Amino acid sequence: MRIGFVQNDPHFGQIQDNLDQVRELVGEQKIDLLVLPELFASGYLFRDCAELRLYAEHTGAGPVTRFLVELAKQTGGYIVGGFAELSGDHIYNAAALVNCRDVLKVYRKIHLFDREKLYFRAGEGPFWVEDLGICRLGLMICYDWYFPEAARTLALRGADLIAHPANLVLPHCPEAMKTRALENRVFTVTANRIGSDQRDFQTLSFIGRSVIYSPNGTLLASSSSDCATLQTVDITLTDARTKRVTGRNDLFADRNPEHYQI
Ligand code: ACM
């Protein structure tokens, strides 16, 4: 199975240009599961709710989710990508899972980071896992990584692979995801962006350094902090199906929840 990420360099509010850039990065590559960053088409640093609303869309009815379905026709596989989802009066920081026909599912970010709390509504959960046949897939978005419970919940629900669209601004996640992969024995794909959103009220720079880890914590792919790129890797998915780490240790069978205060 071939998996990959796009690390893009979006320009705030330039949706069509940002979609074109992703289309060019992907080219003619065939990829079974491709992960794009959080809010990859709109940019990240919104002034307020009114501005965010200009870039939000109903799932399947706006330029970003329609583009993802078109892109899936090109890659021949599944795609996960972040967008601002309009639903009723609310806007969620969301990620769509699509194939070449339609949007299959949407995950709404549960842990909102910093200014996101001013204009996004937090996802109501629960974390879900979708059996795609080629893999059991779970999603989380960026800051969700700080909560080991998020990846653990996905793994306990059967995820082989965690797709992790991100817009990272703090430095720790690319290394930390090794632990998320290792402690759950899952594949992880963190797709981050580069560049910065320079607004008159604030500037935010994004760290790039997208990463793919295997269930034993091996770094399978990584990218720089300043290059827009596509990276792919071939994996043996069944590596995530055993949680065994020694002859006497199975990470899930050895859990002892009665001693955990969660
Ligand atoms: C983040 O959650 N975008 C840092």
Side-chain angles (χ1 to χ4, degrees), residues 38 44 93 109 111-113 116 141-144 166-169:
E38 177 183 13
Y44 178 80
N93 184 343
K109 187 175 186 178
H111 304 99
L112 297 179
F113 183 73
E116 292 172 31
I141 299 178
C142 204
Y143 179 56
D144 283 332
N167 268 195
L168 297 162
V169 293

Side-chain angles (χ1 to χ4, degrees), residues 69 71 74 98 120 241:
V69 173
L71 192 66
Q74 204 170 307
V98 312
F120 283 113
R241 293 267 161 106

Side-chain angles (χ1 to χ4, degrees), residues 39-57:
L39 296 167
F40 73 95
S42 59
Y44 178 80
L45 190 54
F46 300 98
R47 181 182 305 282
D48 53 24
C49 222
E51 186 180 64
L52 171 60
R53 194 163 284 268
L54 300 176
Y55 301 104
E57 65 185 60

Side-chain angles (χ1 to χ4, degrees), residues 8-112:
N8 71 332
D9 183 12
H11 295 281
F12 184 86
Q14 307 294 309
I15 294 227
Q16 194 53 54
D17 288 354
N18 296 334
L19 298 180
D20 290 345
Q21 182 191 118
V22 169
R23 192 184 294 107
E24 269 179 39
L25 285 167
V26 174
E28 299 301 312
Q29 298 237 31
K30 297 294 170 203
I31 306 164
D32 296 306
L33 176 70
L34 177 65
V35 185
L36 310 183
E38 177 183 13
L39 296 167
F40 73 95
S42 59
Y44 178 80
L45 190 54
F46 300 98
R47 181 182 305 282
D48 53 24
C49 222
E51 186 180 64
L52 171 60
R53 194 163 284 268
L54 300 176
Y55 301 104
E57 65 185 60
H58 291 285
T59 296
V64 183
T65 45
R66 281 205 289 254
F67 167 82
L68 289 172
V69 173
E70 287 306 308
L71 192 66
K73 288 181 188 154
Q74 204 170 307
T75 60
Y78 296 93
I79 299 188
V80 172
F83 73 109
E85 185 206 11
L86 187 59
S87 177
D89 285 340
H90 304 307
I91 304 177
Y92 296 92
N93 184 343
L97 164 66
V98 312
N99 66 7
C100 62
R101 284 179 293 282
D102 214 345
V103 177
L104 304 176
K105 250 180 137 110
V106 171
Y107 165 68
R108 296 168 168 173
K109 187 175 186 178
I110 288 174
H111 304 99
L112 297 179

